[in-house]
Amino acid sequence: MTLAERLRELRTQRGWRLKDLSEKSGLSVPYLSDLERGRTNPSLETLQTLAASYGLSVNDLLAPVDFYGERTPASLPKGLAELIADPQLGAEITPEWQQTLSRIELRGKRPESKRDWYEIYLHLKRVLEG
């Protein structure tokens, strides 16, 4: 996932318009639009502002971005984070599976519920393990 995709994903997951994010962050709508389209790159200060607007650390904001690395529960898609936190179902999902699942998108959208993520996991596991 690119940084632009991550920024758009965070905003749309919350049901915010660019104007809503602008009001929360103090950044202009055109600048936020340019960030989400990948037309410009944010400074560290801007990343800190955006992360704070979403209630995340900069690490969690950047974790799913391809140039970064380790994922934390806060950086995972909602339903996947719930699945991993589930004491019964999540126990079998290794860090490698977490990484694989966290990259899944279908036509630019991600599954939303814990059940959807679990069904995808089981299907992929059956396919890959024969």
Side-chain angles (χ1 to χ4, degrees):
M1 165 181 295
T2 67
L3 178 58
E5 291 167 338
R6 173 66 170 156
L7 294 175
R8 179 168 289 183
E9 175 186 67
L10 286 168
R11 182 178 56 77
T12 58
Q13 280 179 349
R14 287 161 174 77
W16 295 353
R17 299 168 299 159
L18 283 170
K19 184 178 180 183
D20 300 324
L21 180 56
S22 175
E23 291 170 359
K24 292 177 187 309
S25 67
L27 301 169
S28 73
V29 170
Y31 179 62
L32 292 169
S33 177
D34 284 348
L35 288 172
E36 288 188 4
R37 292 173 187 236
R39 293 180 178 167
T40 189
N41 291 313
S43 66
L44 179 56
E45 182 180 343
T46 298
L47 288 173
Q48 291 169 330
T49 298
L50 289 169
S53 298
Y54 291 120
L56 298 172
S57 69
V58 173
N59 185 41
D60 288 335
L61 176 83
L62 295 177
V65 177
D66 290 335
F67 64 77
Y68 204 70
E70 185 178 326
R71 298 182 196 302
T72 64
S75 69
L76 294 169
K78 180 183 166 200
L80 181 56
E82 292 171 6
L83 173 61
I84 292 166
D86 185 292
Q88 292 178 328
L89 301 177
E92 67 184 88
I93 300 176
T94 65
E96 291 80 17
W97 271 109
Q98 290 177 29
Q99 184 176 16
T100 299
L101 291 170
S102 69
R103 294 176 182 247
I104 290 178
E105 286 185 20
L106 178 60
R107 295 186 181 118
K109 295 188 178 183
R110 294 173 177 256
E112 294 185 12
S113 72
K114 176 171 77 171
R115 180 179 179 195
D116 291 342
W117 282 107
Y118 191 63
E119 288 177 6
I120 289 169
Y121 165 71
L122 290 177
H123 178 74
L124 288 174
K125 187 174 177 184
R126 277 192 297 263
V127 168
L128 294 173
E129 294 178 357

